[in-house]
Amino acid sequence: MPVFAYQSLNSGNHTDHGVHASNSQGFTEKTHNNIAAGGGRWMLAMPVADSAAPDIPIHGPAQLLPSAQKNYIQKGKHTDVSFRKMVEGKARQTHQHLIRSLGQCSLMVYGEMDGNHSDWQSMQNHAGNLLGAFSSGKACNSFSVHTNGSGSHQILGQGMGWIAIKSDGIRALFVHVPNSVATQEALTKKFYRDIQDSLLGVAGGGVIDVIMGDTNQPRLGYTQEVVSAATGQNFSVFHQGKNIQPEDAHQRSFGGTNSNASKKYDVAVYNTATVTIEDLVYLSQCTEVAGENGSLAAAVTDHMGIGIRVVKN
C-alpha cells in the first residue's frame, strides 16, 4: 500500500530555477497573512531530527503553534538560504505527519521545484532521494520527484504541467494544470487525453491509476468528470466537499486549498477499475519557524499539500 504525497511551491516565471524563484512570492505572502488573521494556536508541529533520514519516525508529542505575525513572509525579508531551510523543514514535517496518518511516504513530488538545480540539491536530505526532475522552461513549470529509497519507481513520461511515475505497480500522474487549460473543458479533456495516449505507448505505462496535484479546477467535481470523459475510464474523487481539516491543523478548518481558502484546486482522483484510495490527508501551507518567544507557524507556499494511501483492486 504505497503512500504518495504532492506539494506545490509558489514559484515565479523565472528561467533560473533556484530558491530565489520561490522565495516569499506574492501568493505565499497572501496565504500567510490570511492564515495569521485567524489568530490563536492552531498548527501541530511534529518533532524532527535533521540528522536522521526524513522518513524515520521521530517519537514525541506535537507542539501547538500560533502563526507568525502578519507580513512575516515578504519579498526580500528572508534570504534564499533561510527560505530554503523553511522548505526543508516543511518536507520533514510532511514526512512525520504522513507516518502517523498514512504510513511511510514512498513517493513525494514537488510542483514548481526543479530538484536538478544546485540550490535544491539539499532537499534530498529532507524530502528523500531524487528520482528525477523536469522543467519545461520556467521555475513554475518544474517538478521534482523524491523517494525514500525503497520500492520500485519509474518515471514514465513528463510534459508541460505533468509528470507520470509508476511506483510499486501503480501509475500515478502528478499535475499542475496550466491556468489557460484548466478552466476550458475542451482543453482540459485534451490535456488528459494526450497524457493517457502517450503513456499507453510507454513500456510500463498503461491506463492511469491515480491523478493528484494542483488541478486549478473551476468547480467541485470538475476533475473527475473531465478525466473520466477524456480517458474512457471511471474516476472518482476521495475527498468530498470544500471543508478541509488539514492534518497539521488543530480544530481549524478551511474552505479551500488555495491562498485565500476559497478554491479546492488540490485534489486526488482515482481509477475505480484499478485502484482504491484508502485514505487521504491535507497538509497546510505552513511550517515551523523560530520566534523570539518560541516556535511559530509560517507559510512557505500558497497551496495545501496532499497525501494518499493507495491499494490495487
Side-chain angles (χ1 to χ4, degrees):
M1 293 181 289
V3 173
F4 302 152
Y6 179 86
Q7 175 71 68
S8 280
L9 294 188
N10 176 204
S11 301
N13 295 328
H14 298 63
T15 55
D16 185 291
H17 301 167
V19 174
H20 185 69
S22 310
N23 185 352
S24 304
Q25 291 290 313
F27 280 113
T28 303
E29 178 183 352
K30 183 178 181 180
T31 301
H32 179 79
N33 290 341
N34 179 61
I35 292 175
R41 293 182 175 270
W42 67 276
M43 196 189 88
L44 296 167
M46 292 297 175
V48 297
D50 287 349
S51 60
D55 63 322
I56 297 298
I58 307 300
H59 298 284
Q63 297 183 73
L64 188 59
L65 307 181
S67 297
Q69 70 274 17
K70 184 180 178 181
N71 296 326
Y72 179 87
I73 299 296
Q74 279 186 319
K75 198 68 176 174
K77 191 170 184 177
H78 301 275
T79 67
D80 289 349
V81 171
S82 65
F83 188 81
R84 182 180 63 202
K85 288 185 179 299
M86 292 169 63
V87 178
E88 292 170 348
K90 177 64 171 175
R92 285 189 173 269
Q93 285 289 319
T94 298
H95 271 291
Q96 293 304 313
H97 279 287
L98 293 181
I99 285 167
R100 288 161 172 78
S101 59
L102 302 178
Q104 286 182 305
C105 181
S106 53
L107 193 67
M108 186 174 289
V109 178
Y110 285 87
E112 305 195 43
M113 176 194 290
D114 185 351
N116 284 328
H117 194 284
S118 58
D119 279 8
W120 292 116
Q121 286 294 300
S122 62
M123 281 295 289
Q124 295 190 71
N125 300 322
H126 305 278
N129 299 329
L130 183 66
L131 179 68
F134 169 77
S135 178
S136 59
K138 299 175 181 178
C140 59
N141 295 327
S142 303
F143 291 93
S144 187
V145 183
H146 298 262
T147 73
N148 63 9
S150 63
S152 173
H153 312 285
Q154 173 193 356
I155 295 179
L156 298 173
Q158 61 276 314
M160 171 63 83
W162 66 277
I163 190 164
I165 301 133
K166 187 176 182 181
S167 181
D168 294 328
I170 293 174
R171 294 167 294 261
L173 174 65
F174 298 88
V175 298
H176 178 198
V177 183
N179 288 311
S180 59
V181 170
T183 58
Q184 300 186 58
E185 188 168 330
L187 292 180
T188 312
K189 286 180 181 179
K190 185 178 186 305
F191 175 80
Y192 288 111
R193 186 181 301 114
D194 288 348
I195 295 171
Q196 176 71 88
D197 290 346
S198 68
L199 294 183
L200 287 171
V202 174
V207 298
I208 301 165
D209 295 317
V210 173
I211 300 172
M212 62 190 296
D214 177 5
T215 67
N216 280 308
Q217 63 179 8
R219 58 175 173 80
L220 295 178
Y222 180 84
T223 297
Q224 62 265 35
E225 292 171 14
V226 171
V227 170
S228 297
T231 63
Q233 304 283 316
N234 183 54
F235 278 78
S236 182
V237 65
F238 181 87
H239 184 279
Q240 303 286 338
K242 282 188 65 178
N243 187 58
I244 295 164
Q245 171 74 52
E247 190 73 4
D248 58 342
H250 176 65
Q251 295 183 346
R252 189 165 181 183
S253 60
F254 298 83
T257 65
N258 64 331
S259 61
N260 62 8
S262 64
K263 300 289 185 180
K264 188 179 177 183
Y265 289 145
D266 306 275
V267 300
V269 300
Y270 63 99
N271 188 330
T272 60
T274 61
V275 297
T276 300
I277 292 179
E278 285 196 330
D279 202 0
L280 176 150
V281 298
Y282 280 101
L283 292 165
S284 78
Q285 300 95 330
C286 295
T287 193
E288 179 182 2
V289 297
E292 292 183 1
N293 299 310
S295 294
L296 302 166
V300 294
T301 185
D302 60 336
H303 282 228
M304 289 185 183
I306 315 174
I308 62 172
R309 185 172 64 236
V310 191
V311 63
K312 289 183 176 180
N313 290 347

